[in-house]
């Protein structure tokens, strides 16, 4: 049996990626100082995510028979899809910035809760805890060490974010528009490149395998339902035949 990707499974994976990105960006503007242009970009990205979550929530609710029970069970999703931060773009609401930050923290918790069950299920099924941990460790440790080594020697490294940009692009793409200026920086970049290429490939393969297994499970369930229907039809046909024979005898 040929297994194909299920559109719903692909959409769930897309939702997980969007929410993780949204979580990172919201934490960035919550706990660090960023330029206004970056702040506005994060707000509009968050608005897009909220719109997608809203339509996904409506789609899932329409499939449920007990709507009230569904809302009661998934009430944090309602908090997760409310774009509180859009009010921060209006100067009239600057006074409420502190309250908006509290609501943002509540949304961070709701978003995390919204997708944690999918992320934990993904880790359990694919066993990529080590690969994901190695990528995170390399990302943070590599950024800090590269910044310490290159700061003052590399004219392209002006801040910690420059070092982070170098680390991310090196790990994901294998190269960066920032070049190391020291031998230590070159050694670190080679190490990050090897770790990134190796473990990003593992994550990609694991994600593909996870989607395939979910699609296969969906197809198996569909085939099982078809078999049950066929069995029921055969039973009905047999009962009709027996009833017909009894009527003929009478």
């Amino acid at each position: 049996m040929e297994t194909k990707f299920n559109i719903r499974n692909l959409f769930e994976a897309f939702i997980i990626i969007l929410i993780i990105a949204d979580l990172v960006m919201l934490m960035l503007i919550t706990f660090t100082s960023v330029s206004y242009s970056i702040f506005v970009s994060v707000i509009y990205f968050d608005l897009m995510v909220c719109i997608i979550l809203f339509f996904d929530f409506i789609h899932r609710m329409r499939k449920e028979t007990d709507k009230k029970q569904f809302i009661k069970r998934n009430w944090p999703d309602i908090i997760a899809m409310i774009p509180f931060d859009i009010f921060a773009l209006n100067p009239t609401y600057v006074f409420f910035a502190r309250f908006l930050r509290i609501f943002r923290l509540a949304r961070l918790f709701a978003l995390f809760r919204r997708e944690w069950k999918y992320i934990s299920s993904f880790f359990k099924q694919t066993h990529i805890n080590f690969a994901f941990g190695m990528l995170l460790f390399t990302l943070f440790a590599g950024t800090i060490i590269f910044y310490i080594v290159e700061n003052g020697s590399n004219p392209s490294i002006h801040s910690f974010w420059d070092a982070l940009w170098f680390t991310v692009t090196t790990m994901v793409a294998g190269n960066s528009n920032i070049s190391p200026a020291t031998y230590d920086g070159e050694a670190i970049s080679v190490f990050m490149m090897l770790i990134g290429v190796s473990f990003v490939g593992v994550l990609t393969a694991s994600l593909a395998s996870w989607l395939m297994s979910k699609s296969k499970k969906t197809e198996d369930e569909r085939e099982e339902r078809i078999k049950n229907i066929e069995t029921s039809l055969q039973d009905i046909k047999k009962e009709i035949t027996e009833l017909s024979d009894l009527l003929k005898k009478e």
Side-chain angles (χ1 to χ4, degrees):
M1 179 185 65
E2 183 180 358
T3 303
K4 298 180 180 180
F5 284 126
N6 183 277
I7 295 178
R8 180 62 192 178
N9 295 336
L10 286 174
F11 182 73
E12 286 182 1
F14 175 69
I15 287 287
I16 291 174
I17 294 171
L18 275 183
I19 289 181
I20 292 175
D22 196 31
L23 278 169
V24 172
M25 292 182 182
L26 288 175
M27 285 191 290
L28 176 68
I29 65 174
T30 300
F31 300 108
T32 62
S33 298
V34 297
S35 64
Y36 183 73
S37 60
I38 294 178
F39 180 81
V40 172
S41 300
V42 172
I43 296 302
Y44 281 116
F45 178 81
D46 178 61
L47 177 63
M48 179 195 70
V49 173
C50 289
I51 293 172
I52 294 174
L53 290 179
F54 172 75
F55 284 108
D56 178 60
F57 184 85
I58 297 299
H59 174 73
R60 289 186 293 124
M61 186 173 64
R62 289 181 61 184
K63 294 170 62 177
E64 297 288 332
T65 54
D66 191 346
K67 303 293 192 296
K68 291 183 178 179
Q69 187 64 28
F70 174 80
I71 294 175
K72 183 178 179 181
R73 191 172 61 250
N74 297 279
W75 64 267
D77 292 3
I78 299 175
I79 300 176
M81 63 188 182
I82 299 177
F84 295 110
D85 287 286
I86 197 67
F87 295 106
L89 298 179
N90 192 331
T92 309
Y93 298 100
V94 173
F95 176 76
F96 299 103
R98 183 173 299 177
F99 297 100
L100 289 175
R101 177 167 293 192
I102 294 174
F103 283 122
R104 187 187 300 153
L105 291 174
R107 283 201 60 232
L108 285 171
F109 172 76
L111 284 168
F112 184 79
R113 184 186 181 279
R114 162 76 169 77
E115 290 305 320
W116 175 246
K117 57 182 179 180
Y118 296 109
I119 297 172
S120 61
S121 174
F122 175 70
F123 281 152
K124 289 178 181 178
Q125 293 177 20
T126 56
H127 306 289
I128 60 167
N129 307 52
F130 178 73
F132 190 73
M134 279 296 297
L135 283 174
L136 284 180
F137 175 78
T138 305
L139 176 65
F140 290 108
T143 299
I144 294 171
I145 297 174
F146 186 80
Y147 177 74
I148 293 173
V149 169
E150 294 285 315
N151 186 32
S153 302
N154 194 330
S156 300
I157 303 297
H158 303 288
S159 65
F160 181 81
W161 301 111
D162 294 329
L164 178 62
W165 171 255
F166 171 82
T167 304
V168 172
T169 53
T170 300
M171 291 179 63
V172 175
N175 56 26
S176 177
N177 58 338
I178 299 176
S179 300
T182 64
Y183 290 113
D184 293 334
E186 292 177 352
I188 294 169
S189 64
V190 170
F191 175 76
M192 289 190 295
M193 190 184 304
L194 292 175
I195 294 293
V197 171
S198 301
F199 289 100
V200 168
V202 172
L203 287 175
T204 304
S206 299
L207 179 61
S209 175
W210 178 62
L211 289 171
M212 292 289 286
S213 64
K214 290 195 69 175
S215 299
K216 184 177 185 302
K217 181 180 179 181
T218 303
E219 291 184 7
D220 291 342
E221 291 175 351
R222 188 182 299 115
E223 288 187 358
E224 185 66 26
R225 287 197 297 268
I226 293 174
K227 288 181 181 179
N228 291 335
I229 293 173
E230 290 177 349
T231 302
S232 299
L233 289 174
Q234 290 176 0
D235 293 339
I236 294 172
K237 184 177 180 181
K238 183 178 179 181
E239 291 177 0
I240 293 174
T241 303
E242 291 176 354
L243 182 60
S244 177
D245 291 340
L246 288 174
L247 292 174
K248 287 180 181 179
K249 289 179 181 180
E250 293 179 358

